[in-house]
Amino acid sequence: MALASLNAAGIVERDKNGGIMWVWSFPTFTDLQKDIAMKKCCLTWQTDKQMKNMDIIPFVYYQHSKLWFYILSTVTSEETAVKSVSHFSIILCGKDFNPEKYSALSRILSRCYDVSGNPVIILEQYLKVLTLGYCQSNNNGVFKVADFDIQKTYLAAKLKDFINMFGMESVLVYVAVVLKRRVVVFHDRIQALLDLIRAIPSLAWHQQDWSHLHPWVEDFSELEELPYFITGTTNLDLKSASENYDLFIDGTRETITLSTHAKDTFALGKIHKDIAKTMVDLASDIDSTNQDLIEAIDVKTQDIISKLRSLGGNEDRVSLKEIKSKKFNQTTENFLINLAIAERLIDS
């Protein structure tokens, strides 16, 4: 099974004098891709006034222009062949979201480069993965594409931890995701941010779509053309730009804030309270798993969507008139209309 989703690989080095250089790539990165990767590569942080006190983060990832970038940074070992280098990063670009897969591959490539100091060795391993679906390092195991299933990646999210952190207010995030609203997640530590934000798309398991996840941005410029998103940031200043989002999650302070313009969308009724109770009860159950929680929420969501479909004259469409004719209370009616729009069921 070839890794057809792999687009490119690159190497950035930091020498013992603090100099940082992009030393190799294959087949190519654009200047913009390199610029963004260098900013997010933790090797540059010691020269960035805003980030100079942050630790080296071994593995980070982000999405840009519908491509995923994975960066593994490491300190050179005692036996390294790159004698003048103190740290280096392996940067992989791919079309798919799968942190476990690209982390495993980058670890093998990192070990190969540390020992050899030769980009040709990295190229050989890259081409093996691209064409054959596997590569190996004598000291760092074997990488096989077939070992990494996308469903396992989706289920790896720590949804229980997320819901235990925010309790009943977690249902606000649920509403945002199923209605496809704009969500910003802040944390002052990048690793904690990546762990936190990764759980959010699983609240709408039926969508099976992680393309709207943007785990790490520092401004809204990359998101301007997107109708909805789940984005993470370490820049708390973004909170003041509330016109650019509907829901702001502060993972450091464990708070959730609604934008004024979106408050009607997040009005809660009996439907939401029932889902919130299910979420909180299962998350606090030490015997339940993240998969149990995801499946339970999905059952609730699918049931609501099925009932919504049943309001229409056929299974695929429902009109605004048909929803309003059922005389739901205003909160429930608004939620069902917005859900029908998100699910592309409504025929206005």
Side-chain angles (χ1 to χ4, degrees):
M1 183 186 295
L3 185 51
S5 60
L6 184 59
N7 260 33
I11 300 173
V12 174
E13 292 181 347
R14 180 179 173 187
D15 65 34
K16 293 180 178 178
N17 295 318
I20 298 168
M21 181 180 294
W22 189 292
V23 296
W24 176 84
S25 59
F26 180 86
T28 186
F29 287 80
T30 67
D31 289 342
L32 178 59
Q33 288 171 342
K34 286 183 178 180
D35 182 57
I36 294 173
M38 290 286 281
K39 288 178 180 177
K40 295 186 185 294
C41 170
C42 60
L43 303 190
T44 67
W45 291 357
Q46 298 302 311
T47 59
D48 187 317
K49 290 182 179 180
Q50 291 183 333
M51 301 177 119
K52 65 181 180 179
N53 294 321
M54 297 181 73
D55 295 329
I56 296 293
I57 308 298
F59 184 70
V60 297
Y61 53 88
Y62 61 95
Q63 184 186 177
H64 174 72
S65 296
K66 298 182 180 180
L67 290 172
W68 287 90
F69 294 81
Y70 303 88
I71 305 176
L72 179 77
S73 301
T74 186
V75 180
T76 53
S77 66
E78 292 182 1
E79 66 270 25
T80 185
V82 279
K83 299 297 183 183
S84 63
V85 174
S86 62
H87 303 76
F88 66 90
S89 296
I90 299 291
I91 301 171
L92 299 178
C93 172
K95 299 173 184 175
D96 57 333
F97 172 72
N98 198 319
E100 284 73 29
K101 179 171 69 179
Y102 288 98
S103 174
L105 175 57
S106 57
R107 284 197 302 272
I108 285 184
L109 297 181
S110 177
R111 180 59 181 164
C112 289
Y113 190 65
D114 187 49
V115 171
S116 69
N118 188 354
V120 174
I121 303 298
I122 304 301
L123 176 59
E124 290 174 352
Q125 300 284 28
Y126 178 97
L127 293 175
K128 282 183 179 180
V129 171
L130 192 65
T131 57
L132 303 176
Y134 72 88
C135 70
Q136 65 185 66
S137 164
N138 291 335
N139 299 306
N140 209 22
V142 178
F143 170 84
K144 295 180 181 178
V145 175
D147 291 341
F148 299 93
D149 177 70
I150 190 60
Q151 294 297 312
K152 290 182 179 178
T153 290
Y154 292 165
L155 289 169
K158 299 176 181 178
L159 187 57
K160 287 185 68 174
D161 291 349
F162 180 89
I163 293 173
N164 283 327
M165 178 181 292
F166 294 101
M168 293 292 283
E169 282 197 315
S170 300
V171 76
L172 294 171
V173 187
Y174 166 83
V175 171
V177 178
V178 297
L179 298 187
K180 298 181 179 179
R181 292 309 197 252
R182 300 171 300 168
V183 178
V184 176
V185 184
F186 164 80
H187 205 290
D188 56 11
R189 293 185 296 109
I190 181 61
Q191 198 61 65
L193 173 65
L194 294 178
D195 288 343
L196 191 65
I197 197 169
R198 184 173 178 176
I200 295 176
S202 59
L203 288 167
W205 183 254
H206 70 288
Q207 293 176 3
Q208 290 289 288
D209 182 10
W210 265 245
S211 65
H212 54 281
L213 180 66
H214 297 261
W216 184 12
V217 304
E218 292 307 312
D219 59 62
F220 285 114
S221 61
E222 295 181 39
L223 311 171
E224 289 176 349
E225 303 301 320
L226 301 179
Y228 67 97
F229 51 76
I230 302 168
T231 192
T233 186
T234 57
N235 181 8
L236 188 56
D237 290 342
L238 296 193
K239 186 176 182 179
S240 62
S242 59
E243 69 277 7
N244 291 311
Y245 63 82
D246 302 306
L247 189 78
F248 191 95
I249 303 169
D250 187 331
T252 304
R253 297 163 185 80
E254 300 184 8
T255 60
I256 296 176
T257 304
L258 300 176
S259 290
T260 302
H261 67 262
K263 286 188 176 179
D264 288 345
T265 300
F266 291 91
L268 302 180
K270 186 177 182 301
I271 291 176
H272 308 101
K273 291 174 183 176
D274 178 52
I275 293 171
K277 186 176 186 307
T278 297
M279 292 165 63
V280 170
D281 287 350
L282 265 178
S284 61
D285 183 353
I286 61 173
D287 294 323
S288 71
T289 66
N290 283 296
Q291 183 170 349
D292 292 335
L293 180 56
I294 290 169
E295 290 176 352
I297 297 170
D298 186 49
V299 167
K300 294 279 187 183
T301 305
Q302 296 279 25
D303 183 55
I304 295 170
I305 294 173
S306 294
K307 290 178 179 176
L308 181 57
R309 287 179 183 274
S310 72
L311 299 179
N314 60 67
E315 292 185 358
D316 295 321
R317 307 293 290 175
V318 60
S319 70
L320 188 63
K321 181 179 179 180
E322 285 167 328
I323 296 175
K324 287 182 173 293
S325 71
K326 301 304 177 181
K327 304 298 182 182
F328 296 113
N329 64 58
Q330 194 62 53
T331 298
T332 299
E333 181 181 283
N334 288 344
F335 175 70
L336 293 178
I337 290 171
N338 285 324
L339 181 60
I341 293 170
E343 293 293 315
R344 298 181 179 180
L345 298 177
I346 200 159
D347 184 4
S348 57

